[in-house]
Amino acid sequence: MLGNERETYTCIDLLKFFFACCVMLIHTGISRKITCGFYLQQMVFRLAVPFFFVCSGYFFAITKYTKKDLTKRLKKLWIPYVFLGIFYILLQFYMDQMPLTFIFDQMFRLSLLSVATSVVWFIGSLIFSMILITHIQSNKKAIIFSIFISLLLYLVGLSFTTYSFLPQNFFFTELSSYLSTTFYHNRNPLFSGYLFFSLGYVIGKFYRDYKINKWGGSFGA
């Protein structure tokens, strides 16, 4: 979308609907009640969040944001992030009968855009990614370097979450224990969000001329 021009991306819209349903299925636990549901969730449903990050990065790249527009965009994200973040913290504090220190710990994590115990982590990751990519968008090498670093961090995040069951030596066991205690999960900008957002940004900024057409049927230069 450039200027007043508005493009429709039918294939992407269909995928958005599909992956939105995947997110719903993950959180409702329906997949655990069907045959091969675990594998379906891990191999298909889990692609939903990366997909939405890539889309966000892509459309952020092809949209011409002025400084004023970007400020408005970030403000629209900050407001729900803060209010929903505080709401979920208080809700979990009440429902799970957590100690008072839980509120202070989660408020601190909220301020660092790293609350992994509620759904607002996605918004926090978007805020972080948009701010970072804006500061380095004029330097292609810096963008590529940031993707390389985020890929390494993504692998680190997997090491103490999804693949924590793999055999590890003493060093990695201690490191995994420290990371899981400190971050709880890899759902934050460092270990997940920025990598996929930046990949979408690179596609939109540098390779848009080679994008798949609106229906996703063929490539065009």
Side-chain angles (χ1 to χ4, degrees):
M1 292 173 289
L2 300 174
N4 294 322
E5 177 188 2
R6 180 177 177 82
E7 298 183 38
T8 57
Y9 295 80
T10 308
C11 183
I12 292 179
D13 288 339
L14 291 174
L15 286 173
K16 284 181 180 179
F17 175 77
F18 172 74
F19 283 120
C21 291
C22 289
V23 172
M24 179 188 69
L25 291 173
I26 289 175
H27 289 286
T28 55
I30 294 178
S31 60
R32 293 194 293 267
K33 301 178 181 180
I34 61 177
T35 305
C36 299
F38 172 80
Y39 300 101
L40 188 62
Q41 176 169 311
Q42 297 302 320
M43 299 175 68
V44 179
F45 297 170
R46 291 295 181 187
L47 296 175
V49 172
F51 168 79
F52 285 117
F53 273 124
V54 170
C55 284
S56 297
Y58 176 81
F59 287 110
F60 185 76
I62 68 174
T63 303
K64 288 185 177 180
Y65 280 104
T66 64
K67 187 175 181 180
K68 184 178 180 180
D69 292 334
L70 182 59
T71 301
K72 288 183 178 179
R73 176 62 176 161
L74 289 173
K75 184 178 180 180
K76 287 182 179 180
L77 291 174
W78 271 112
I79 293 174
Y81 176 76
V82 172
F83 282 96
L84 286 177
I86 294 175
F87 171 76
Y88 278 109
I89 289 172
L90 296 177
L91 180 64
Q92 187 176 0
F93 169 76
Y94 173 76
M95 296 294 293
D96 297 339
Q97 296 296 300
M98 303 296 287
L100 188 60
T101 53
F102 170 82
I103 294 181
F104 297 105
D105 174 72
Q106 291 299 301
M107 288 295 188
F108 177 71
R109 293 175 185 276
L110 186 72
S111 67
L112 296 179
L113 303 177
S114 62
V115 174
T117 53
S118 71
V119 296
V120 298
W121 78 271
F122 184 89
I123 305 176
S125 294
L126 279 183
I127 295 172
F128 175 90
S129 301
M130 291 172 65
I131 293 175
L132 178 56
I133 208 74
T134 298
H135 282 82
I136 62 175
Q137 62 182 342
S138 60
N139 189 330
K140 186 175 181 179
K141 290 183 178 180
I143 295 175
I144 300 302
F145 180 73
S146 71
I147 292 177
F148 174 73
I149 297 298
S150 64
L151 176 60
L152 294 179
L153 290 173
Y154 177 70
L155 295 176
V156 171
L158 290 178
S159 71
F160 71 91
T161 53
T162 307
Y163 299 107
S164 60
F165 63 89
L166 295 177
Q168 299 177 349
N169 58 34
F170 176 77
F171 172 76
F172 285 106
T173 300
E174 291 297 310
L175 178 62
S176 177
S177 177
Y178 171 77
L179 291 173
S180 61
T181 302
T182 304
F183 295 99
Y184 298 160
H185 208 281
N186 62 342
R187 295 193 295 262
N188 60 56
L190 295 179
F191 297 126
S192 182
Y194 178 76
L195 172 63
F196 298 106
F197 181 93
S198 60
L199 288 175
Y201 182 86
V202 167
I203 294 172
K205 186 175 180 65
F206 301 111
Y207 301 103
R208 192 187 180 202
D209 290 339
Y210 301 94
K211 69 180 177 65
I212 299 174
N213 68 11
K214 294 179 183 180
W215 276 100
S218 61
F219 285 90

